[in-house]
């Protein structure tokens, strides 16, 4: 754009209408090809999407994503079409003067209130879902402890008593990696593994810890994602 403008100026040509028409037309073509690329990629890669969530709360998370995508997608499509249309319609023409528009209070109110109302609805819906997801687990929930380290996870399941024993980071040693307190009788039958197995149809609460740095406890198909933070125990129920 700068090069073509400079060349025209050097030639002494102050009529940029041809350049303007070419550039605005290119923007329209770019928009059309962009939309084709978007919908083509969705069709091609749809089999790589996560599909139906494997947890109940995953439906809430997917619903929030879908509502957000719906509103932002509609706005995106409309604004891109208007951008290309106005660029073409109001391109520079020889002898045409620009129209000065100082502003409109009505328009200001409309394009402030409408997004505010939509965003408020999305935030309220999201916060409501988050409170549901992060609420305390029920008494029937099975508790599993996930302890992250470089480079792997140790998972601790309760034994036959159904109770996880106590742990303390000060008890961590090369032979007691996750700091189990063996003075607690409930810890003596706990099972430590490196692979997670879950009973279908039962609520699970995962207590998450880290031994060294930040780690991500991420089960995408269950829509579970929570950081493991050294010194700050976190949790997730699903």
């Amino acid at each position: 754009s700068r090069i073509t403008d400079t060349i025209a100026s050097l030639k002494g040509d102050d009529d940029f209408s041809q350049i303007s028409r070419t550039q605005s037309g290119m923007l329209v073509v770019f928009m059309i090809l962009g939309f084709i690329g978007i919908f083509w990629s969705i069709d091609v890669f749809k089999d790589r999407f996560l599909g139906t969530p494997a947890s109940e709360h995953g439906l809430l998370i997917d619903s929030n994503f879908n509502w957000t995508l719906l509103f932002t997608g509609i706005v995106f499509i409309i604004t891109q079409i208007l951008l290309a249309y106005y660029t073409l319609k109001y391109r520079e023409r020889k002898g045409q003067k620009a129209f000065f528009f100082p502003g409109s209070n009505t328009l200001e109110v409309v394009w402030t209130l409408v997004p505010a109302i939509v965003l408020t609805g999305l935030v309220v819906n999201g916060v409501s879902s988050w409170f549901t997801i992060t609420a305390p687990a029920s008494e029937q929930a099975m508790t599993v402890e996930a302890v992250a380290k470089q480079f792997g996870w140790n998972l601790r399941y309760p034994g036959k008593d159904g109770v996880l024993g106590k742990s303390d980071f000060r008890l961590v040693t090369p032979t007691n990696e996750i700091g189990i307190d063996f003075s607690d009788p409930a810890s003596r039958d706990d099972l430590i593994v490196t692979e997670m197995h879950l009973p279908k149809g039962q609520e699970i609460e995962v207590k998450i810890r880290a031994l060294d740095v930040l780690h991500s406890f991420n089960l995408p198909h269950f829509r579970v994602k929570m950081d493991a933070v050294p010194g700050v125990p976190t949790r997730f129920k699903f």
Side-chain angles (χ1 to χ4, degrees), residues 201-214:
Q202 183 173 350
E203 184 180 2
I204 308 294
E205 180 178 37
V206 183
K207 295 184 176 180
I208 306 167
R209 294 192 290 131
L211 296 179
D212 36 44
V213 296
L214 282 174

Side-chain angles (χ1 to χ4, degrees), residues 104-133:
S104 166
N105 290 334
T106 303
L107 280 178
E108 291 282 355
V109 170
V110 170
W111 69 44
T112 301
L113 280 180
V114 172
I117 292 171
V118 172
L119 287 173
T120 300
L122 293 175
V123 169
V124 169
N125 191 36
V127 169
S128 174
S129 299
W130 181 248
F131 285 159
T132 300
I133 294 168

Side-chain angles (χ1 to χ4, degrees), residues 8-83:
S9 298
L10 291 174
K11 288 181 178 181
D13 184 6
D14 60 353
D15 181 12
F16 296 99
S17 57
Q18 178 61 39
I19 296 173
S20 179
R21 184 169 66 247
T22 301
Q23 292 174 349
S24 58
M26 289 172 63
L27 182 61
V28 173
V29 172
F30 179 78
M31 178 199 69
I32 294 172
L33 292 177
F35 282 146
I36 292 174
I38 289 172
F39 292 109
W40 173 83
S41 63
I42 291 174
D43 181 63
V44 170
F45 295 106
K46 63 186 177 185
D47 292 337
R48 300 189 185 184
F49 297 162
L50 292 176
T52 304
S55 64
E56 289 184 1
H57 85 268
L59 296 171
L60 291 175
I61 291 179
D62 280 9
S63 175
N64 278 276
F65 272 113
N66 291 336
W67 279 111
T68 302
L69 182 60
L70 173 66
F71 287 111
T72 56
I74 291 173
V75 172
F76 173 77
I77 292 172
I78 291 175
T79 52
Q80 296 308 303
I81 292 174
L82 289 177
L83 175 65

Side-chain angles (χ1 to χ4, degrees), residues 161-215:
D161 59 4
V163 179
L164 273 179
K166 296 178 182 178
S167 62
D168 191 324
F169 71 92
R170 291 170 293 189
L171 298 175
V172 173
T173 65
T175 56
N176 185 11
E177 275 195 319
I178 60 178
I180 298 175
D181 184 356
F182 289 106
S183 66
D184 179 12
S187 68
R188 295 173 187 173
D189 63 347
D190 290 349
L191 177 67
I192 301 175
V193 294
T194 56
E195 206 175 78
M196 176 170 274
H197 292 262
L198 303 172
K200 183 177 179 180
Q202 183 173 350
E203 184 180 2
I204 308 294
E205 180 178 37
V206 183
K207 295 184 176 180
I208 306 167
R209 294 192 290 131
L211 296 179
D212 36 44
V213 296
L214 282 174
H215 298 267

